[in-house]
Amino acid sequence: MNEEWDKPLRELRELTHALVECALPTILIVEDYQPMAEMLETGMRELASNPIQVFHTAEEALEWLHGERDCGLMLLDIRLPGMSGLQLLYHLRTCADGCGQDLPVVILSNYDDLELREEADHLGVVAFLAKPFNFEQLLLRSQQVGIRWGLMRA
């Protein structure tokens, strides 16, 4: 290939990639345990081309959501420092500016009791997955509720 075309073609590929990412909704991961957050991010990057944002507190996620509207999915831990995952979810569902009223949320928790599941269901979660879980189950459940994913990676 001609060297004079290398740079423009590389820039075009980068721009195309950026445009694809802009068109896809962001996946939010709210998980305080760093190794789990990294595992979730890595797994989601292998499954989907969507942009991903990782937050370690509910407060960080809430601040981001108030400024960002195109979020397609939130993976939410229940036990977080400060505001809990359920408190964040309640705030999103009742928020006056509508920042998270329809946001699909998947609860990820080490704690699986009936009362917790009922409260999460009442707040409109799309799934409650006990850790550890299978990423393929997460993808399947998310697709069933109509979340727009990027192209699957080989």
Side-chain angles (χ1 to χ4, degrees):
M1 184 177 285
N2 190 334
E3 286 183 28
E4 68 184 77
W5 288 100
D6 287 345
K7 184 178 179 187
L9 286 174
R10 186 175 55 252
E11 289 173 354
L12 180 61
R13 278 192 295 273
E14 290 171 5
L15 177 61
T16 302
H17 180 71
L19 288 172
V20 167
E21 284 199 352
C22 287
L24 295 171
T26 301
I27 297 169
L28 295 186
I29 298 171
V30 186
E31 169 63 61
D32 63 322
Y33 184 58
Q34 185 67 31
M36 177 60 79
E38 290 173 3
M39 184 194 74
L40 289 168
E41 182 177 11
T42 299
M44 295 310 292
R45 287 196 190 286
E46 290 176 6
L47 292 174
S49 297
N50 300 60
I52 297 173
Q53 287 287 328
V54 178
F55 299 102
H56 301 290
T57 69
E59 291 85 357
E60 292 172 335
L62 187 58
E63 182 179 336
W64 186 86
L65 280 164
H66 280 296
E68 179 66 42
R69 300 290 183 212
D70 195 21
C71 181
L73 174 66
M74 178 186 285
L75 305 180
L76 180 61
D77 187 17
I78 292 288
R79 305 264 168 126
L80 297 167
M83 181 187 296
S84 75
L86 285 179
Q87 289 170 324
L88 171 61
L89 187 54
Y90 178 79
H91 181 82
L92 293 174
R93 297 305 193 229
T94 60
C95 185
D97 69 3
C99 68
Q101 291 176 343
D102 298 322
L103 175 62
V105 175
V106 174
I107 295 288
L108 307 173
S109 181
N110 289 326
Y111 309 95
D112 187 13
D113 64 42
L114 183 58
E115 185 177 322
L116 187 59
R117 280 184 177 268
E118 287 175 351
E119 188 172 357
D121 285 343
H122 178 72
L123 291 170
V125 300
V126 297
F128 189 109
L129 299 177
K131 297 176 189 175
F133 60 90
N134 180 312
F135 278 99
E136 296 299 327
Q137 289 175 317
L138 175 59
L139 180 63
L140 177 64
R141 183 66 184 127
S142 299
Q143 288 174 329
Q144 288 172 345
V145 295
I147 296 166
R148 298 173 291 146
W149 290 89
L151 296 174
M152 294 298 294
R153 297 189 177 170

